[in-house]
Amino acid sequence: MMKGNLIEKTTAWERFNHWVLAVSFLILFFTGLGFLYQSLNWINTIFGGNHLASAIHKWTGLVFTLSLILTLGSYFGEAIRFTSEDSKWISSLGGYFSKEMEPPPQGKLNAGQKLFYLIVVVLFGATSAFSGFIIWLFPDSRGLILFAHFLHNISYVVFAFAVPLHIYLGTAANPGTFRVMTRGTVTAAWAKKHHGRWAKDMGIE
Ligand code: HEM
């Protein structure tokens, strides 16, 4: 939807859910870091000590999981539609590493965003949620718990690398992008530069 010279990229509901996802993620990330390393256990004193931090981690995990499920309505349909523009985005590595290799105009999500959504958010989000609930609900089944801890730690590492990169790309690396998560609108120039095909579909020449 156009609003003067601005185009709406996210609805108020999508922005709200993204903030729920971001804040719950940060709480999980920091309490998780406190559990993972003895030397960083002091982090959990900020959350009221290990016992309270553990309860906060579990219930925030539930919020994070619900928020993850709700992202399916916002991004899944777009993310699974792979086009030749996406293959070209991947083969030119998004144009990030060379001036000659410019990817073609992208749709509402570029291939990098689609892969981030499908692999990190959906696949590892589901892995961390599934394993987290096993650790929470079946504390006495030893073999299962060991495997669940393994899956939980792997997904932690994936998120620990991917989310800071996602935050950097959504803020400092691409000026004009963060407002997608605050106001929900972008300028016509931003849309043409980053999502050319989407801009054209929205009637911007
Ligand atoms: C404070 C932390 C975060 C910031 C500043 C941030 C920023 C952003 C921005 C600016 C966008 C819009 C990009 C665009 O439309 O071009 C976006 C989209 C998105 N964010 Fe975040 N984000 C944060 C945390 C997270 C977390 C923790 C997750 C999931 C675990 C997440 C998942 C997504 C997804 C799936 C999208 C849509 C696809 C994409 O643009 O990559 N975000 N975020």
Side-chain angles (χ1 to χ4, degrees):
M1 191 175 47
M2 295 287 293
K3 289 181 176 172
N5 189 33
L6 299 172
I7 318 162
E8 185 179 69
K9 192 156 193 277
T10 48
T11 62
W13 157 248
E14 285 168 341
R15 292 197 295 284
F16 170 75
N17 193 40
H18 183 273
W19 282 110
V20 174
L21 196 67
V23 173
S24 56
F25 172 81
L26 291 175
I27 295 173
L28 290 168
F29 180 80
F30 286 112
T31 45
L33 201 60
F35 297 135
L36 210 51
Y37 298 102
Q38 197 62 46
S39 56
L40 293 175
N41 192 250
W42 59 267
I43 295 175
N44 284 340
T45 54
I46 301 171
F47 290 91
N50 273 339
H51 193 67
L52 192 58
S54 165
I56 291 173
H57 190 86
K58 285 170 188 156
W59 291 102
T60 308
L62 187 63
V63 173
F64 182 69
T65 306
L66 292 176
S67 181
L68 278 178
I69 293 170
L70 292 169
T71 64
L72 291 171
S74 306
Y75 309 115
F76 193 73
E78 176 75 18
I80 53 170
R81 236 174 284 138
F82 247 71
T83 62
S84 62
E85 291 153 7
D86 293 317
S87 337
K88 288 186 192 131
W89 189 98
I90 293 168
S91 55
S92 64
L93 299 172
Y96 281 114
F97 299 100
S98 133
K99 284 215 158 43
E100 284 92 65
M101 294 204 297
E102 265 291 301
Q106 296 289 304
K108 192 171 182 185
L109 296 180
N110 65 37
Q113 291 172 301
K114 289 179 181 177
L115 292 175
F116 170 71
Y117 181 67
L118 292 173
I119 299 175
V120 179
V121 179
V122 177
L123 183 66
F124 283 98
T127 307
S128 62
F130 171 74
S131 52
F133 287 119
I134 290 190
I135 297 167
W136 186 1
L137 302 174
F138 303 100
D140 298 325
S141 42
R142 258 187 83 70
L144 195 63
I145 284 278
L146 277 180
F147 186 56
H149 270 290
F150 171 72
L151 292 179
H152 213 60
N153 290 0
I154 297 264
S155 36
Y156 187 90
V157 172
V158 170
F159 275 110
F161 280 99
V163 173
L165 181 64
H166 169 74
I167 295 174
Y168 172 65
L169 291 174
T171 55
N174 295 299
T177 306
F178 185 54
R179 54 179 295 148
V180 175
M181 275 8 286
T182 53
R183 277 168 267 194
T185 53
V186 290
T187 62
W190 183 95
K192 275 202 272 190
K193 182 172 175 209
H194 296 287
H195 299 273
R197 192 187 43 76
W198 174 65
K200 212 168 165 201
D201 294 345
M202 299 297 288
I204 295 165
E205 290 306 326

